[in-house]
């Protein structure tokens, strides 16, 4: 067992794993950290070919599930918010699991910036000009090379990111829910203008060990972290079987599925500074009331359960009361929407109510 001083972070490389194992490890790391069983962890991870939806997303809405089944592409749900991600063994993931006080103070938006700047500084050591792009991306010459996201569970933080070492854009578009008639050369060229990889920038893909090294260098220099390499702690391995059963359960992937009744279903999408927010709503037009609303989309919210509480608070309420209910919950729970404000949620509800 590796001995780690109080000020050191334990660096573990959990290697190439199926998506469900990586998601289960995230759960166990959070639990072990909350119970004080492990030091701060900096984990490197890789995935067998997988499609991961954000915590607030629906697989049916975001992914071509038939194509995934045909190709043997695993579908899983992340603990963090944000949009769908397509992984294969050429890409590398990194994440920090720690107590909040182990990193610089500030809200999640400020912390995201500091972490992304550290990662960007590290990637720049490979010979690319990487920089932070709000709200939580890392870009090179205007094209995204890394996405990040995080959650707080009590006083424990999980913050994770990806690095696109290589990228198969046509296959990525087939996995995402893009109509076949739109999968043409123009679509591929359009994505290539917005997303890039280290292989495309450098002419060849760097060794994964080299990517790991520069990322650690970036975090040492910009956040003052010190690292010791070692194995996954025994406490985490002991918790893994139960977490693995949880993420393999159909209920985990089906979190955002909702039953429908005889009331009309209204939908709306709002693109706001904090992300893309979607509302699906069972609407009582006779009483001008929201019977039930479900929020999904590419966004981050802390605390994560605020969305569940918000959906519960908006059951069977008059449209005129929506703004006050949302504003009150944001204030009561000190909700951090990474740019999403109460008025954005209220707006998308009103948009859905007007949907014919």
């Amino acid at each position: 067992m590796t001995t780690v001083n109080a000020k050191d972070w334990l660096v573990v490389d959990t290697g190439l794993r199926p998506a469900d194992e990586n998601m289960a490890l995230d759960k166990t790391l959070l639990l072990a950290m909350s119970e004080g069983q492990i030091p701060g962890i900096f984990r490197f991870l890789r995935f067998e070919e997988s499609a991961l939806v954000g915590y607030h997303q629906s697989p049916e809405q975001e992914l071509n599930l038939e194509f995934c089944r045909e190709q043997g592409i695993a579908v899983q749900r992340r603990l963090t918010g944000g949009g769908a991600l397509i992984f294969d063994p050429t890409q590398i993931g990194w994440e920090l699991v720690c107590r909040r006080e182990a990193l610089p103070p500030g809200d999640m938006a400020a912390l995201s910036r500091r972490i992304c700047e550290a990662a960007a500084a590290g990637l720049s050591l490979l010979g690319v000009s990487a920089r932070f792009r709000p709200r939580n991306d890392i870009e090179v010459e205007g094209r995204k090379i890394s996405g990040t996201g995080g959650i707080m569970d009590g006083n424990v933080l999980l913050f994770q990111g990806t690095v696109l070492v290589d990228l198969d854009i046509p296959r990525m578009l087939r996995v995402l829910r893009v109509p076949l008639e739109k999968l043409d050369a123009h679509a591929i060229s359009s994505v290539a203008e917005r997303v890039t990889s280290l292989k495309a920038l450098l002419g060849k893909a760097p060794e994964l060990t080299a990517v790991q090294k520069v990322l650690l260098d970036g975090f040492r220099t910009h956040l003052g972290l010190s690292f010791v390499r070692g194995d996954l702690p025994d406490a985490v391995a002991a918790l893994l079987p139960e977490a693995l059963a949880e993420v393999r359960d159909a209920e985990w992937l089906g979190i955002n599925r909702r039953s429908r009744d005889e009331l009309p279903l209204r939908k709306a999408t709002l693109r706001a500074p904090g992300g893309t927010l979607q509302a699906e709503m069972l609407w009582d037009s006779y009483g001008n009331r929201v019977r039930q609303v479900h929020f999904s989309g590419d966004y981050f919210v802390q605390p994560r359960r605020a969305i569940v509480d918000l959906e519960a608070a908006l059951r069977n309420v008059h449209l005129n009361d929506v703004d006050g209910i949302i504003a009150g919950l944001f204030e009561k729970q000190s909700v951090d929407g990474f740019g999403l404000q109460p008025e954005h949620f209220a707006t998308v509800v009103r948009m859905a109510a007007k949907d014919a």
Side-chain angles (χ1 to χ4, degrees):
M1 180 176 177
T2 306
T3 300
V4 182
N5 296 324
K7 64 181 181 65
D8 290 331
W9 290 61
L10 177 63
V11 178
V12 294
D13 182 350
T14 53
L16 182 65
R17 291 177 180 252
D20 54 8
E21 289 189 14
N22 275 321
M23 297 303 96
L25 277 169
D26 284 348
K27 280 179 169 279
T28 60
L29 286 166
L30 280 172
L31 179 57
M33 178 61 67
S34 68
E35 295 179 348
Q37 296 180 304
I38 58 175
I41 298 286
F42 195 111
R43 178 164 85 110
F44 290 110
L45 56 156
R46 292 169 61 218
F47 289 80
E48 297 176 1
E49 193 171 22
S50 314
L52 309 180
V53 293
Y55 184 81
H56 303 290
Q57 291 187 310
S58 164
E60 291 80 6
Q61 290 179 341
E62 305 298 331
L63 303 175
N64 183 342
L65 295 178
E66 182 178 356
F67 182 77
C68 291
R69 284 190 292 269
E70 291 173 353
Q71 298 293 312
I73 300 170
V75 176
Q76 257 296 339
R77 179 180 301 283
R78 301 194 308 278
L79 276 67
T80 54
L85 298 176
I86 313 305
F87 267 102
D88 63 43
T90 67
Q91 299 165 35
I92 188 168
W94 53 270
E95 63 186 26
L96 298 84
V97 182
C98 63
R99 296 206 170 268
R100 178 63 187 85
E101 58 266 22
L103 292 171
D107 61 15
M108 283 295 291
L111 181 59
S112 295
R113 182 183 191 98
R114 293 291 302 274
I115 292 176
C116 287
E117 287 173 344
L123 292 175
S124 295
L125 297 174
L126 293 171
V128 300
S129 182
R131 55 180 293 176
F132 166 67
R133 179 175 71 191
R135 58 191 156 99
N136 59 334
D137 290 336
I138 298 170
E139 66 176 16
V140 177
E141 299 172 0
R143 292 183 290 171
K144 178 177 175 178
I145 197 169
S146 174
T148 72
I151 60 168
M152 286 286 295
D153 186 358
N155 190 39
V156 176
L157 171 74
L158 165 67
F159 196 98
Q160 55 194 188
T162 62
V163 178
L164 295 175
V165 180
D166 199 358
L167 180 62
D168 185 341
I169 294 176
R171 188 167 181 82
M172 179 189 75
L173 292 175
R174 289 298 308 275
V175 174
L176 297 175
R177 196 178 178 193
V178 179
L180 284 174
E181 62 270 19
K182 294 185 178 181
L183 296 179
D184 55 14
H186 175 74
I188 295 170
S189 176
S190 177
V191 173
E193 291 174 357
R194 294 180 283 115
V195 182
T196 190
S197 68
L198 290 174
K199 181 178 180 179
L201 293 166
L202 299 174
K204 65 176 183 178
E207 295 291 332
L208 297 181
T209 53
V211 179
Q212 289 187 9
K213 180 181 182 303
V214 297
L215 283 170
L216 292 176
D217 286 345
F219 279 90
R220 282 193 193 96
T221 302
H222 286 261
L223 290 181
L225 306 186
S226 57
F227 300 111
V228 174
R229 283 190 177 265
D231 299 323
L232 201 64
D234 293 341
V236 175
L239 294 169
L240 185 57
E242 183 175 352
L244 196 53
E246 290 177 2
V247 301
R248 286 175 174 170
D249 192 300
E251 287 189 8
W252 172 247
L253 197 57
I255 286 173
N256 281 316
R257 296 193 185 105
R258 294 293 190 273
S259 61
R260 307 296 184 218
D261 60 18
E262 70 279 2
L263 291 171
L265 176 66
R266 303 287 183 87
K267 299 181 181 181
T269 300
L270 176 68
R271 289 174 175 81
T276 300
L277 181 61
Q278 299 165 342
E280 290 183 302
M281 184 171 68
L282 295 176
W283 173 245
D284 178 2
S285 57
Y286 180 79
N288 206 32
R289 303 183 76 85
V290 178
R291 292 297 188 185
Q292 180 180 339
V293 65
H294 169 53
F295 296 109
S296 62
D298 177 0
Y299 61 86
F300 299 88
V301 167
Q302 294 295 339
R304 191 173 63 187
R305 70 160 294 113
I307 295 299
V308 176
D309 292 339
L310 183 56
E311 291 172 347
L314 291 174
R315 285 179 179 269
N316 196 28
V317 301
H318 196 279
L319 187 62
N320 291 343
D321 297 329
V322 165
D323 292 75
I325 291 171
I326 297 173
L329 186 138
F330 264 65
E331 182 178 358
K332 179 180 179 181
Q333 295 197 11
S334 300
V335 176
D336 182 356
F338 288 73
L340 280 181
Q341 301 297 325
E343 56 266 28
H344 296 133
F345 286 87
T347 296
V348 78
V349 169
R350 287 194 295 269
M351 290 168 62
K354 294 178 181 178
D355 177 37

